[in-house]
């Protein structure tokens, strides 16, 4: 038989009910000791020692053993804890009733304990079982009550009505509780779906759909944030601007769909070579930008050179195995540079690379 694992919430309520049981035991013991102390000067039919052993020590030790058993199940077999606490609540109530003086006519109401436990668990099956046990108990009480004891019979009928009313209320509470849980689950699911949609929309607003690199807008936001961050925490940073050489000829000769394939493959090479702290974006058309951080200029230059070489050596199947090249301009950031200045210097370097032969890197 499959036993579902306990959720954190179920575990929490199991712990709460066990704590309530311990509190009830403490209150029961205190009340027994109070009664025992109040008997001073009164001569019962049993000695004080016999009374203490029979009506205080023995029942409380039995209840203590029951609670320790429930604690063991809670700790080592938590998947059975809910059922064991429900069964234990019946035994707990029965044990208290057994050792309470028969002169206390309201003691059957202690059987409300398992009904309340079933209601807390929002479990109809538990509540049905508890209701049957409680009503069976009141039937036994009624049948064993002397016919001439009219008052006690009326009290038993009232107790049975209290049990029935509590059970009916319990079913209403369970139904209402399940409705609330269902509404809460739907609300949480809607909130989660909305959060996922927001994440997707946020990503779509930042990512270029063709290359999966960041887009023009996100590049400017990130570059601005990095430059502002430099004021309090300076670190090395370089900006590289890449532009595919003669890309218009690729589109004219092979079609724009081949041009899109080229852009995707160039983007893949860029992503393959940069690190987790670096940033790459498609600036627009056939132009890309790369921000390299926490590296010396020489190290960053080696990374950009590797990208340039990999692109030049990459055969494009859709272009009959031919390759494309890129011209690259780089600028090494210094503390006084503004965002526009950084980009302008890298763009000037790119223009110089284009003008002096293409498929090369120029640093300004």
């Amino acid at each position: 038989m499959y036993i579902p694992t306990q959720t954190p919430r179920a575990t929490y309520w199991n712990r709460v009910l066990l704590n309530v049981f311990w509190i009830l035991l403490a209150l029961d013991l205190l009340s027994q000791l109070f009664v025992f102390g109040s008997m001073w000067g009164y001569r019962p039919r049993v000695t004080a020692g016999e009374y203490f052993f029979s009506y205080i020590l023995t029942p409380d030790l039995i209840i203590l053993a029951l609670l320790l058993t429930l604690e063991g199940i809670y700790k080592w077999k938590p998947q059975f804890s809910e059922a064991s606490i429900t069964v234990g609540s019946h035994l707990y109530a029965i044990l208290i009733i057994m050792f309470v003086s028969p002169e206390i006519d309201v003691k059957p109401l202690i059987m409300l304990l398992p009904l309340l436990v079933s209601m807390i668990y929002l479990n109809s099956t538990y509540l049905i079982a508890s209701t049957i046990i409680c009503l069976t108990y009141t039937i036994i009480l009624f049948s064993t009550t002397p016919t001439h004891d009219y008052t006690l019979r009326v009290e038993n009928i009232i107790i049975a009505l209290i049990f029935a009313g509590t059970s009916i209320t319990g079913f209403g509470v369970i139904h209402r509780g399940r409705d609330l849980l269902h509404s809460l689950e739907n609300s949480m699911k809607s909130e989660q779906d909305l959060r996922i949609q927001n994440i997707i929309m946020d990503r779509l607003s930042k990512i270029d759909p063709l290359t999966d690199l960041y887009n023009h807008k996100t590049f400017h936001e990130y570059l601005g944030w990095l430059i502002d961050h430099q004021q309090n925490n300076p670190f090395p940073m370089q900006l590289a601007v890449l532009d595919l050489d003669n890309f218009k000829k690729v589109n004219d000769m092979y079609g724009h769909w081949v041009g899109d394939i080229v852009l995707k493959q160039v983007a893949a090479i860029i992503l393959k070579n940069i690190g987790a702290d670096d940033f790459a974006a498609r600036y627009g058309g056939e132009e890309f930008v790369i921000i390299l951080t926490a590296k010396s200029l020489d190290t960053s230059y080696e990374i950009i050179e590797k990208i340039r070489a990999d692109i030049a050596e990459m055969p494009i199947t859709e272009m009959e195995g031919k390759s494309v090249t890129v011209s690259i301009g780089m600028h090494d950031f210094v503390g006084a540079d503004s965002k526009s200045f950084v980009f302008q210097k890298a763009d000037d370097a790119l223009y110089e690379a284009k003008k002096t032969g293409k498929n090369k890197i120029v640093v300004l």
Side-chain angles (χ1 to χ4, degrees):
M1 181 179 64
Y2 171 72
I3 304 295
T5 56
Q6 290 288 290
T7 63
R9 207 68 197 152
T11 302
Y12 167 79
W13 282 109
N14 290 340
R15 181 68 267 166
V16 168
L17 288 173
L18 286 174
N19 290 343
V20 170
F21 286 175
W22 284 109
I23 293 172
L24 290 177
L25 176 60
L27 293 175
D28 182 53
L29 177 60
L30 289 174
S31 64
Q32 289 171 330
L33 292 175
F34 175 78
V35 172
F36 181 71
S38 301
M39 294 172 60
W40 184 263
Y42 174 72
R43 294 182 174 274
R45 287 172 291 179
V46 295
T47 64
E50 290 173 340
Y51 182 88
F52 182 81
F53 180 81
S54 300
Y55 293 96
I56 299 178
L57 184 61
T58 299
D60 287 342
L61 285 177
I62 295 174
I63 294 174
L64 177 63
L66 172 63
L67 292 185
L68 291 176
T69 301
L70 295 178
E71 288 285 356
I73 295 173
Y74 173 82
K75 183 175 181 180
W76 290 295
K77 295 289 184 180
Q79 66 272 30
F80 298 107
S81 191
E82 183 176 302
S84 66
I85 289 174
T86 304
V87 174
S89 65
H90 290 86
L91 297 176
Y92 198 118
I94 291 170
L95 285 170
I96 293 178
I97 291 172
M98 286 175 57
F99 291 97
V100 170
S101 172
E103 297 177 359
I104 302 176
D105 296 331
V106 296
K107 67 179 184 179
L109 291 177
I110 298 174
M111 289 300 293
L112 287 172
L113 177 63
L115 292 176
L116 296 176
V117 170
S118 302
M119 290 165 59
I120 288 174
Y121 280 134
L122 298 179
N123 191 310
S124 299
T125 302
Y126 292 164
L127 185 57
I128 291 172
S130 298
T131 301
I132 292 173
I133 293 173
C134 290
L135 293 180
T136 302
Y137 172 65
T138 55
I139 291 172
I140 294 173
L141 281 179
F142 190 82
S143 62
T144 56
T145 302
T147 54
H148 63 273
D149 197 338
Y150 173 79
T151 302
L152 186 57
R153 282 183 164 243
V154 171
E155 289 178 355
N156 290 337
I157 292 174
I158 293 173
I159 289 171
L161 291 175
I162 291 174
F163 286 155
T166 304
S167 297
I168 293 171
T169 303
F171 286 112
V173 169
I174 290 174
H175 180 72
R176 179 59 176 161
R178 287 177 176 174
D179 281 347
L180 290 174
L181 287 175
H182 184 66
S183 298
L184 180 61
E185 288 174 359
N186 288 339
S187 177
M188 290 177 65
K189 186 176 184 302
S190 298
E191 183 180 350
Q192 185 178 24
D193 290 343
L194 181 61
R195 190 180 296 114
I196 292 173
Q197 289 177 8
N198 288 338
I199 292 173
I200 293 173
M201 292 300 294
D202 183 62
R203 173 177 168 79
L204 290 176
S205 69
K206 293 181 178 181
I207 298 296
D208 174 62
L210 178 64
T211 61
D212 253 358
L213 299 179
Y214 288 104
N215 57 24
H216 178 108
K217 176 176 176 291
T218 307
F219 159 70
H220 280 290
E221 290 175 351
Y222 186 66
L223 180 60
W225 180 85
L226 283 177
I227 291 175
D228 291 341
H229 193 57
Q230 285 273 359
Q231 297 176 1
N232 299 321
N233 184 27
F235 54 86
M237 183 177 75
Q238 297 81 33
L239 172 64
V241 181
L242 298 74
D243 188 82
L244 285 166
D245 298 325
N246 306 315
F247 189 67
K248 185 176 183 302
K249 291 183 179 179
V250 173
N251 286 327
D252 292 343
M253 185 175 298
Y254 299 101
H256 285 85
W257 69 275
V258 174
D260 288 347
I261 292 173
V262 172
L263 292 173
K264 289 180 181 179
Q265 294 188 9
V266 168
I269 289 177
I270 292 173
L271 288 175
K272 177 183 175 183
N273 285 280
I274 63 174
D277 296 329
D278 302 326
F279 177 95
R282 183 186 178 194
Y283 193 76
E286 66 272 23
E287 197 169 17
F288 299 86
V289 286
I290 302 173
I291 302 174
L292 301 116
T293 58
K295 303 174 184 67
S296 66
L297 176 60
D298 290 341
T299 301
S300 294
Y301 186 91
E302 290 176 2
I303 293 172
I304 298 300
E305 171 60 24
K306 179 71 164 51
I307 291 172
R308 185 204 62 78
D310 285 354
I311 292 172
E313 296 169 1
M314 174 184 64
I316 310 295
T317 305
E318 291 77 9
M319 291 174 51
E320 302 170 355
K322 297 177 182 178
S323 61
V324 295
T325 62
V326 289
S327 297
I328 305 172
M330 280 187 71
H331 175 67
D332 187 27
F333 176 85
V334 295
D337 291 350
S338 65
K339 184 178 78 169
S340 59
F341 181 82
V342 171
F343 186 80
Q344 186 61 53
K345 293 295 289 185
D347 199 47
D348 290 344
L350 172 63
Y351 178 77
E352 185 68 22
K354 288 281 191 182
K355 188 174 68 172
T356 55
K358 301 180 180 178
N359 190 24
K360 63 191 296 187
I361 303 172
V362 172
V363 180
L364 291 180

